[in-house]
Amino acid sequence: MATPQATIERAPGGLGAAPAAPDGERRDIVRAARTVLAREGWRHCTADATAAEAGVEPAAVGRHFPDHEQLLLGVLLDSSASVAASLAAVAESYLAEVDDLREDLIALGRAWLAPLEAFREHFAIVRHISAEVTHLPAEAVDKWQATGPRQARRELARRLRQVAAQGLLDIADADQAAERFILLVPSSVVQRSFHGALPLGRLEEDALIADGVDDFIRLYGPASR
């Protein structure tokens, strides 16, 4: 699969082939599309709305990006890939060396939530897309999932497989284990906070994370088999 940035640069209609206007204008249009997408959602992020946000004429958007839907897809994939890369680094950092399984998994669960704050614009986009999913092109939904959530889950599975190899977890299917960890631990906070829109208190977050980790260990801890 092409990289997310390549999707912006090489999408159908010559998204990377319009040399007439300065590169700065192009970057402004991409940033504007991201802002409008986060604020208004996919269906309302039109070429006119993007142009207004960027402070350019609508013709400028069409000159750089003849296919506005492909521009939105590129923005979405680029944002999703950035979050997935951040989560891959979290999994690597917190599972590279496990001293206390429960405490290290709790620390992992908390760190997994850090992107809610670091990538606020991305999760605003996710909230809109979740509400609009039946109206989005199927290609956009599939590529978003593959570039973002599924990629992050694969990286977590790879690390959990390594922890299991040390005898600290009893895992037959690492992909399934990664999915369950995400569902049991960070997703409980993500869902209750509406993807970070209504942040929870620290004590509530800590309790949800700890309860999720305990459930995960009951499922995959060697002592439970």
Side-chain angles (χ1 to χ4, degrees):
M1 179 185 294
T3 64
Q5 188 59 37
T7 302
I8 295 176
E9 294 172 354
R10 298 188 297 160
L15 295 191
D23 288 342
E25 183 177 78
R26 183 184 179 85
R27 288 193 297 270
D28 288 345
I29 290 169
V30 172
R31 282 196 293 265
R34 181 178 293 109
T35 298
V36 178
L37 189 58
R39 187 177 65 229
E40 306 290 346
W42 185 281
R43 287 186 294 169
H44 297 290
C45 185
T46 62
D48 286 347
T50 297
E53 182 69 27
V56 300
E57 293 297 322
V61 176
R63 184 167 61 247
H64 286 289
F65 302 102
D67 188 332
H68 192 256
E69 190 171 274
Q70 286 295 325
L71 168 60
L72 298 187
L73 177 60
V75 166
L76 174 60
L77 296 188
D78 189 59
S79 181
S80 296
S82 296
V83 174
S86 174
L87 291 175
V90 165
E92 179 177 3
S93 175
Y94 284 85
L95 294 180
E97 184 175 340
V98 176
D99 297 315
D100 181 311
L101 180 64
R102 183 176 185 273
E103 291 304 315
D104 289 339
L105 288 177
I106 287 174
L108 170 65
R110 173 151 292 286
W112 199 268
L113 295 171
L116 287 176
E117 179 64 30
F119 298 92
R120 294 181 67 86
E121 197 171 52
H122 170 77
F123 288 101
I125 293 172
V126 169
R127 287 193 294 273
H128 280 294
I129 287 178
S130 297
E132 298 178 304
V133 68
T134 58
H135 301 285
L136 265 64
E139 175 197 36
V141 175
D142 184 64
K143 288 188 174 182
W144 159 45
Q145 290 292 304
T147 304
R150 288 204 293 266
Q151 177 61 25
R153 190 167 64 241
R154 280 193 296 269
E155 288 300 314
L156 177 59
R158 186 166 66 87
R159 292 295 170 179
L160 288 175
R161 202 174 286 118
Q162 294 172 349
V163 175
Q166 301 171 41
L168 298 173
L169 291 171
D170 186 356
I171 293 176
D173 184 335
D175 292 325
Q176 183 186 73
E179 182 174 16
R180 287 183 176 175
F181 179 86
I182 293 169
L183 287 171
L184 289 169
V185 186
S187 284
S188 59
V189 176
V190 170
Q191 295 302 319
R192 290 201 190 189
S193 69
F194 296 92
H195 292 277
L198 300 174
L200 307 180
R202 178 64 183 245
L203 290 178
E204 185 177 1
E205 284 189 358
D206 286 347
L208 289 169
I209 290 168
D211 286 347
V213 166
D214 288 340
D215 288 340
F216 182 80
I217 291 175
R218 276 191 286 271
L219 283 171
Y220 293 106
S224 66
R225 302 301 181 94

